[in-house]
Amino acid sequence: MEGMTSSSEPAGTPGEGTPSPGLAPFVKQRNILLTTYKRDGTAVGTPVNIAVDGDHAYIRTYDAAWKAKRMRNNPEVEISPSTARGVPTGPPFKARVRLLDLGSEEAQRAATLLKRKHRLLQGMFVPAFHKVRKYKTLHYEVRLLGE
């Protein structure tokens, strides 16, 4: 429903954590521009979906994606609000990503948060695409630097 905030959700549901001030702009944001860095320092921006829970956010990709390889080599990233096509709509924030263990409780929580926020895309299409292509789905925790 329009106008509902995460505080109006029943206790115990994903998304109940009060967002940190730095992540507050991303709570209702559907897409972000995730900027990762190649080994030579070249920045590469990719639009991704985001879900925020308390002082951290979650994103998802697959194991063969170039962004996954870049994040494995350099976990320092920038995130900024954006359109679905990756056009920034706000200022960038420096952050660090952490790969969540496959099948862990934390990865399952990330999947649930993304699925609830992006029901059609992350709830159906992305998991089906990963399964058909035999990709491993990777979940990352995103934390802003300095918080």
Side-chain angles (χ1 to χ4, degrees), residues 2-3 6-7 16 18-19 23 34 42 46 53 60 84 90 97 106 108 114-115 125 127 134-135 137 140 145:
E2 195 168 325
S6 60
S7 62
E16 70 182 18
T18 303
L23 286 175
L34 174 71
T42 305
T46 309
D53 185 30
R60 161 193 281 173
V97 295
E106 194 174 13
Q108 291 172 355
L114 285 161
K115 184 167 66 171
F125 293 130
K134 295 183 171 63
Y135 290 140
T137 302
Y140 289 86
L145 294 179

Side-chain angles (χ1 to χ4, degrees), residues 1 3-19 27-28 52-54 109 113:
M1 280 188 227
M4 287 186 67
T5 62
S6 60
S7 62
S8 63
E9 291 181 21
T13 60
E16 70 182 18
T18 303
V27 171
K28 293 187 179 181
V52 176
D53 185 30
R109 179 159 177 78
L113 286 166

Side-chain angles (χ1 to χ4, degrees), residues 14-118:
E16 70 182 18
T18 303
S20 66
L23 286 175
F26 298 101
V27 171
K28 293 187 179 181
Q29 188 70 36
R30 295 192 60 77
N31 304 290
I32 63 167
L33 180 64
L34 174 71
T35 303
T36 55
Y37 299 94
K38 294 182 180 181
R39 289 180 193 238
D40 68 1
T42 305
V44 180
T46 309
V48 296
N49 294 134
I50 187 170
V52 176
D53 185 30
D55 63 347
H56 47 272
Y58 297 106
I59 60 172
R60 161 193 281 173
T61 190
Y62 57 96
D63 59 335
W66 287 102
K67 66 179 161 274
K69 294 174 185 181
R70 290 189 298 269
M71 288 188 291
R72 184 172 45 243
N73 292 327
N74 182 1
E76 304 291 322
V77 299
E78 282 188 356
I79 60 171
S80 57
S82 77
T83 65
R85 292 183 175 255
V87 178
T89 59
F93 295 88
K94 294 205 177 287
R96 177 181 290 272
V97 295
R98 178 177 63 91
L99 176 62
L100 304 178
D101 293 332
L102 290 174
S104 70
E105 187 175 312
E106 194 174 13
Q108 291 172 355
R109 179 159 177 78
T112 300
L113 286 166
L114 285 161
K115 184 167 66 171
R116 286 193 180 176
K117 186 171 182 183
H118 311 279

